[in-house]
PDB file of all heavy atoms in Angstrom:
ATOM      1  N   SER W 125      -7.728   3.565 -10.763  1.00 97.00           N
ATOM      2  CA  SER W 125      -7.053   2.697 -11.684  1.00 97.00           C
ATOM      3  C   SER W 125      -7.038   1.274 -11.079  1.00 97.00           C
ATOM      4  O   SER W 125      -7.080   1.034  -9.915  1.00 97.00           O
ATOM      5  CB  SER W 125      -5.618   3.159 -11.839  1.00 97.00           C
ATOM      6  OG  SER W 125      -4.856   2.169 -12.451  1.00 97.00           O
ATOM      7  N   TYR W 150       2.925   6.592  -8.137  1.00 96.00           N
ATOM      8  CA  TYR W 150       1.753   6.862  -8.894  1.00 96.00           C
ATOM      9  C   TYR W 150       0.576   5.985  -8.392  1.00 96.00           C
ATOM     10  O   TYR W 150      -0.501   6.542  -8.100  1.00 96.00           O
ATOM     11  CB  TYR W 150       1.990   6.560 -10.400  1.00 96.00           C
ATOM     12  CG  TYR W 150       0.684   6.304 -11.138  1.00 96.00           C
ATOM     13  CD1 TYR W 150      -0.138   7.359 -11.492  1.00 96.00           C
ATOM     14  CD2 TYR W 150       0.295   4.956 -11.455  1.00 96.00           C
ATOM     15  CE1 TYR W 150      -1.328   7.078 -12.154  1.00 96.00           C
ATOM     16  CE2 TYR W 150      -0.897   4.758 -12.079  1.00 96.00           C
ATOM     17  CZ  TYR W 150      -1.686   5.802 -12.435  1.00 96.00           C
ATOM     18  OH  TYR W 150      -2.909   5.552 -13.071  1.00 96.00           O
ATOM     19  N   ASN W 180      -7.182  -0.587 -19.103  1.00 98.00           N
ATOM     20  CA  ASN W 180      -6.231   0.106 -19.979  1.00 98.00           C
ATOM     21  C   ASN W 180      -6.955   0.853 -21.116  1.00 98.00           C
ATOM     22  O   ASN W 180      -7.307   0.228 -22.103  1.00 98.00           O
ATOM     23  CB  ASN W 180      -5.265  -0.924 -20.572  1.00 98.00           C
ATOM     24  CG  ASN W 180      -4.229  -1.367 -19.516  1.00 98.00           C
ATOM     25  OD1 ASN W 180      -4.578  -1.886 -18.472  1.00 98.00           O
ATOM     26  ND2 ASN W 180      -2.962  -1.193 -19.822  1.00 98.00           N
ATOM     27  N   LEU W 201       1.511   1.041 -24.363  1.00 98.00           N
ATOM     28  CA  LEU W 201       1.670   0.162 -25.544  1.00 98.00           C
ATOM     29  C   LEU W 201       1.066   0.701 -26.808  1.00 98.00           C
ATOM     30  O   LEU W 201       1.775   0.724 -27.858  1.00 98.00           O
ATOM     31  CB  LEU W 201       0.933  -1.204 -25.166  1.00 98.00           C
ATOM     32  CG  LEU W 201       1.004  -2.248 -26.263  1.00 98.00           C
ATOM     33  CD1 LEU W 201       2.411  -2.679 -26.623  1.00 98.00           C
ATOM     34  CD2 LEU W 201       0.137  -3.435 -25.873  1.00 98.00           C
ATOM     35  N   THR W 217       9.371  -2.783 -28.494  1.00 98.00           N
ATOM     36  CA  THR W 217       9.902  -3.938 -27.712  1.00 98.00           C
ATOM     37  C   THR W 217       8.753  -4.491 -26.889  1.00 98.00           C
ATOM     38  O   THR W 217       8.096  -3.764 -26.196  1.00 98.00           O
ATOM     39  CB  THR W 217      11.009  -3.489 -26.762  1.00 98.00           C
ATOM     40  OG1 THR W 217      12.090  -2.877 -27.589  1.00 98.00           O
ATOM     41  CG2 THR W 217      11.574  -4.626 -25.992  1.00 98.00           C
ATOM     42  N   PHE W 219       7.693  -6.305 -23.735  1.00 98.00           N
ATOM     43  CA  PHE W 219       8.347  -6.463 -22.475  1.00 98.00           C
ATOM     44  C   PHE W 219       8.082  -7.838 -21.907  1.00 98.00           C
ATOM     45  O   PHE W 219       7.275  -8.012 -21.003  1.00 98.00           O
ATOM     46  CB  PHE W 219       7.927  -5.331 -21.518  1.00 98.00           C
ATOM     47  CG  PHE W 219       8.327  -3.918 -21.898  1.00 98.00           C
ATOM     48  CD1 PHE W 219       7.508  -2.859 -21.694  1.00 98.00           C
ATOM     49  CD2 PHE W 219       9.560  -3.700 -22.559  1.00 98.00           C
ATOM     50  CE1 PHE W 219       7.846  -1.575 -22.103  1.00 98.00           C
ATOM     51  CE2 PHE W 219       9.949  -2.394 -22.925  1.00 98.00           C
ATOM     52  CZ  PHE W 219       9.079  -1.361 -22.719  1.00 98.00           C
ATOM     53  N   CYS W 230       2.293 -10.273 -21.343  1.00 98.00           N
ATOM     54  CA  CYS W 230       1.389  -9.844 -20.289  1.00 98.00           C
ATOM     55  C   CYS W 230      -0.085  -9.641 -20.814  1.00 98.00           C
ATOM     56  O   CYS W 230      -0.297  -9.331 -21.971  1.00 98.00           O
ATOM     57  CB  CYS W 230       1.787  -8.485 -19.780  1.00 98.00           C
ATOM     58  SG  CYS W 230       3.230  -8.452 -18.822  1.00 98.00           S
ATOM     59  N   ARG W 232      -3.760  -7.638 -20.323  1.00 98.00           N
ATOM     60  CA  ARG W 232      -4.461  -6.490 -19.809  1.00 98.00           C
ATOM     61  C   ARG W 232      -5.865  -6.434 -20.395  1.00 98.00           C
ATOM     62  O   ARG W 232      -6.181  -7.005 -21.445  1.00 98.00           O
ATOM     63  CB  ARG W 232      -3.791  -5.177 -20.250  1.00 98.00           C
ATOM     64  CG  ARG W 232      -2.349  -5.015 -19.748  1.00 98.00           C
ATOM     65  CD  ARG W 232      -2.303  -4.679 -18.239  1.00 98.00           C
ATOM     66  NE  ARG W 232      -0.965  -4.418 -17.781  1.00 98.00           N
ATOM     67  CZ  ARG W 232      -0.140  -5.331 -17.373  1.00 98.00           C
ATOM     68  NH1 ARG W 232      -0.514  -6.609 -17.367  1.00 98.00           N
ATOM     69  NH2 ARG W 232       1.091  -5.042 -16.941  1.00 98.00           N
ATOM     70  N   ARG W 295       9.555  -5.644 -18.088  1.00 93.00           N
ATOM     71  CA  ARG W 295       9.674  -4.296 -17.547  1.00 93.00           C
ATOM     72  C   ARG W 295       9.429  -4.340 -16.033  1.00 93.00           C
ATOM     73  O   ARG W 295       8.444  -4.946 -15.612  1.00 93.00           O
ATOM     74  CB  ARG W 295       8.603  -3.421 -18.236  1.00 93.00           C
ATOM     75  CG  ARG W 295       8.602  -1.939 -17.733  1.00 93.00           C
ATOM     76  CD  ARG W 295       7.686  -1.087 -18.599  1.00 93.00           C
ATOM     77  NE  ARG W 295       6.262  -1.410 -18.430  1.00 93.00           N
ATOM     78  CZ  ARG W 295       5.327  -0.690 -19.015  1.00 93.00           C
ATOM     79  NH1 ARG W 295       5.568   0.326 -19.783  1.00 93.00           N
ATOM     80  NH2 ARG W 295       4.047  -1.023 -18.817  1.00 93.00           N
ATOM     81  N   ASP W 298       5.830  -4.435 -13.857  1.00 91.00           N
ATOM     82  CA  ASP W 298       4.640  -4.854 -14.612  1.00 91.00           C
ATOM     83  C   ASP W 298       4.000  -6.043 -13.892  1.00 91.00           C
ATOM     84  O   ASP W 298       4.681  -6.957 -13.420  1.00 91.00           O
ATOM     85  CB  ASP W 298       5.054  -5.368 -16.024  1.00 91.00           C
ATOM     86  CG  ASP W 298       4.880  -4.298 -17.091  1.00 91.00           C
ATOM     87  OD1 ASP W 298       4.121  -3.323 -16.835  1.00 91.00           O
ATOM     88  OD2 ASP W 298       5.453  -4.483 -18.150  1.00 91.00           O
TER      89      ASP W 298
HETATM   90  C1  LIG R 401       0.098   1.385 -16.360  1.00 84.16           C
HETATM   91  C2  LIG R 401      -0.505   1.378 -14.956  1.00 84.16           C
HETATM   92  C3  LIG R 401      -1.895   1.937 -14.970  1.00 84.16           C
HETATM   93  C4  LIG R 401      -1.815   3.339 -15.484  1.00 84.16           C
HETATM   94  C5  LIG R 401      -1.204   3.354 -16.862  1.00 84.16           C
HETATM   95  C6  LIG R 401      -1.096   4.815 -17.312  1.00 84.16           C
HETATM   96  C7  LIG R 401       0.190  -0.400 -13.490  1.00 84.16           C
HETATM   97  C8  LIG R 401       0.053  -1.837 -13.152  1.00 84.16           C
HETATM   98  N1  LIG R 401      -0.569  -0.021 -14.511  1.00 84.16           N
HETATM   99  O1  LIG R 401      -0.614   0.515 -17.158  1.00 84.16           O
HETATM  100  O2  LIG R 401      -2.376   1.964 -13.690  1.00 84.16           O
HETATM  101  O3  LIG R 401      -3.092   3.931 -15.448  1.00 84.16           O
HETATM  102  O4  LIG R 401       0.060   2.690 -16.860  1.00 84.16           O
HETATM  103  O5  LIG R 401       0.061   5.133 -17.824  1.00 84.16           O
HETATM  104  O6  LIG R 401       0.869   0.311 -12.831  1.00 84.16           O
HETATM  105  N2  LIG R 401       4.227  -2.930 -23.160  1.00 84.16           N
HETATM  106  C9  LIG R 401       5.167  -3.461 -24.054  1.00 84.16           C
HETATM  107  N3  LIG R 401       6.012  -2.542 -24.750  1.00 84.16           N
HETATM  108  C10 LIG R 401       5.887  -1.198 -24.558  1.00 84.16           C
HETATM  109  C11 LIG R 401       4.900  -0.711 -23.709  1.00 84.16           C
HETATM  110  C12 LIG R 401       4.123  -1.587 -23.013  1.00 84.16           C
HETATM  111  O7  LIG R 401       5.345  -4.675 -24.196  1.00 84.16           O
HETATM  112  O8  LIG R 401       6.645  -0.438 -25.254  1.00 84.16           O
HETATM  113  C13 LIG R 401       3.377  -3.865 -22.480  1.00 84.16           C
HETATM  114  C14 LIG R 401       3.512  -3.827 -20.965  1.00 84.16           C
HETATM  115  O9  LIG R 401       4.506  -4.677 -20.508  1.00 84.16           O
HETATM  116  C15 LIG R 401       2.094  -4.177 -20.513  1.00 84.16           C
HETATM  117  C16 LIG R 401       1.226  -3.710 -21.671  1.00 84.16           C
HETATM  118  O10 LIG R 401       2.084  -3.529 -22.760  1.00 84.16           O
HETATM  119  O11 LIG R 401       2.038  -5.585 -20.441  1.00 84.16           O
HETATM  120  C17 LIG R 401       0.481  -2.475 -21.316  1.00 84.16           C
HETATM  121  O12 LIG R 401       1.436  -1.501 -20.858  1.00 84.16           O
HETATM  122  P1  LIG R 401       1.014   0.062 -20.642  1.00 84.16           P
HETATM  123  O13 LIG R 401       0.293   0.528 -21.817  1.00 84.16           O
HETATM  124  O14 LIG R 401       2.279   0.725 -20.257  1.00 84.16           O
HETATM  125  O15 LIG R 401      -0.004   0.011 -19.466  1.00 84.16           O
HETATM  126  P2  LIG R 401       0.086  -0.657 -17.981  1.00 84.16           P
HETATM  127  O16 LIG R 401       1.462  -0.818 -17.589  1.00 84.16           O
HETATM  128  O17 LIG R 401      -0.785  -1.849 -18.011  1.00 84.16           O
END
Side-chain angles (χ1 to χ4, degrees):
S125 167
Y150 157 76
N180 286 56
L201 178 63
T217 302
F219 296 142
C230 289
R232 298 286 183 274
R295 178 171 70 176
D298 263 341

